[in-house]
Amino acid sequence: MKFKGIIPALVTPFNEDYSVNYDSLKVLTNRLIDKGVDGFYVCGSTGESFLLEKEERKKILESVVEETAGRVPVIAHVGDIWADRAAELATHAAKVGADAVSAVPPFYFKFTFDEIAEYYKIIQNAAGLPLIIYNIPVLSGVSVTSDNLGQIIAACDVEGIKFTSNDMFELSKIRAAYPDLCLLNGFDEIFINALPVGIQGAIGSTYNIMPEKFSKILKAFKAGDLESAAQTQKQANEIIDILIKTDVKSGIKYILTKAGIPCGSCRRPFAPLNKEKTDLLDKVLELL
Ligand code: MN9
């Protein structure tokens, strides 16, 4: 399988005026490749997709594809509430050389699953690339399950699913029902719990700052050294626990900025970090 291992959901670095900082994006891309990541997920939740202009989403993708230069696969998140905008982004992703497209289900209007299946078909037809469904019920309000996934699979060719949910029972049901599907875990804090279910890898935000910890967990798990895998996950989770208290994306941007890659703040209405939160994050800097 082409999509496997540790795949950072890239943050979108901003300048002080909230414009996209492409210089930082390039430095981050290279730094993560040097750290051994297995791919990139661009303009997802962590990348603040829905706080970006369509043209910015295109340019960010182009920048990552160009800088990556084929060293690892690039997955473009093209999801949108409007199928035609998602299709435009999907066509663009294929044109500029992304390796796959991914999309959250259309949200807000409580679309039927027939409509959701049609949406994925539209995206796939527009891209002609492998399609990875992005299941993140906590944010999208839509749950892709082993039951309704069949409807999407009947409508189009699904390569995989990014499964961002703590429901490991559901994940195992999807694994059992679709043995050939590429399963990518979404919540970094339960990476170790998803491994025995049979995932191929994981897409997550904290791999922007500590991908090596997760590569280590994966390696230890494959070698049968569960104790070491659990130990490393525990260390990572101490950090994630703090990040969740500060808003994960904002916290990661602060840490990257401290590490010499200016990332700015998340776009409004996300609030800039206050002193209480930066104090907490300074602790993370010591733990990393
Ligand atoms: O892409 C990320 N989920 C969200 C997946 O951004 C909502 C995760 O990496 C989480 O940020 C992380 C912390 O809960 O696991």
Side-chain angles (χ1 to χ4, degrees):
M1 286 228 192
K2 191 168 182 189
F3 308 102
K4 58 177 170 51
I6 303 304
I7 302 174
L10 284 171
V11 293
T12 299
F14 292 135
N15 295 301
E16 289 305 311
D17 64 359
Y18 292 97
S19 58
V20 178
N21 185 334
Y22 291 98
D23 291 337
S24 284
L25 184 61
K26 286 180 183 168
V27 175
L28 178 61
T29 302
N30 281 306
R31 191 175 293 185
L32 290 172
I33 292 177
D34 290 346
K35 285 188 174 206
V37 302
D38 301 292
F40 290 114
Y41 193 81
V42 183
C43 292
S45 314
T46 308
E48 298 171 62
S49 50
F50 301 115
L51 299 173
L52 297 169
E53 299 282 5
K54 183 179 65 183
E55 292 311 316
E56 289 176 323
R57 289 175 71 171
K58 290 182 185 175
K59 257 187 93 179
I60 290 164
L61 177 67
E62 285 166 28
S63 169
V64 175
V65 169
E66 189 186 304
E67 206 57 31
T68 299
R71 289 178 286 174
V72 294
V74 176
I75 305 167
H77 177 256
V78 300
D80 203 276
I81 185 175
W82 181 24
D84 291 287
R85 188 156 43 209
E88 183 184 327
L89 290 168
T91 302
H92 167 266
K95 194 181 89 195
V96 302
D99 298 278
V101 287
S102 178
V104 283
F107 43 88
Y108 189 78
F109 284 122
K110 309 250 180 270
F111 298 99
T112 66
F113 244 84
D114 280 343
E115 289 164 334
I116 293 172
E118 180 65 20
Y119 161 91
Y120 280 112
K121 191 176 160 187
I122 291 168
I123 290 175
Q124 184 162 57
N125 286 342
L129 288 176
L131 170 69
I132 298 172
I133 292 168
Y134 181 10
N135 181 48
I136 180 159
V138 68
L139 294 186
S140 71
V142 182
S143 274
V144 180
T145 66
S146 51
D147 287 337
N148 60 32
L149 181 56
Q151 249 174 288
I152 304 175
I153 288 177
C156 58
D157 189 15
V158 177
E159 172 82 15
I161 180 163
K162 164 168 156 51
F163 189 85
T164 306
S165 156
N166 287 320
D167 192 343
M168 289 292 108
F169 184 37
E170 197 53 59
L171 183 65
S172 65
K173 285 201 277 183
I174 293 176
R175 175 75 301 159
Y178 305 101
D180 298 331
L181 204 63
C182 173
L183 292 189
L184 299 161
N185 180 63
F187 277 133
D188 316 354
E189 52 276 35
I190 54 165
F191 178 56
I192 194 171
N193 310 85
L195 280 170
V197 179
I199 55 167
Q200 273 66 50
I203 298 169
S205 55
T206 69
Y207 315 147
N208 282 281
I209 54 170
M210 49 177 177
E212 61 281 355
K213 282 198 174 31
F214 291 87
S215 304
K216 205 172 149 195
I217 295 169
L218 186 57
K219 206 169 151 205
F221 176 80
K222 282 186 181 159
D225 188 353
L226 295 186
E227 199 141 326
S228 153
Q231 187 56 34
T232 310
Q233 180 78 59
K234 191 171 157 229
Q235 286 167 9
N237 284 4
E238 262 180 71
I239 294 169
I240 295 174
D241 196 29
I242 300 176
L243 287 172
I244 289 172
K245 292 185 179 119
T246 69
D247 174 59
V248 179
K249 302 175 293 310
S250 305
I252 289 171
K253 285 185 158 188
Y254 177 82
I255 287 162
L256 288 172
T257 301
K258 286 276 172 183
I261 306 178
C263 285
S265 302
C266 291
R267 277 189 179 169
R268 300 191 299 172
F270 281 114
L273 292 168
N274 58 24
K275 168 91 168 66
E276 196 187 319
K277 287 183 177 167
T278 54
D279 283 350
L280 276 174
L281 291 166
D282 288 334
K283 250 187 256 162
V284 171
L285 285 167
E286 286 163 31
L287 290 172
L288 272 171

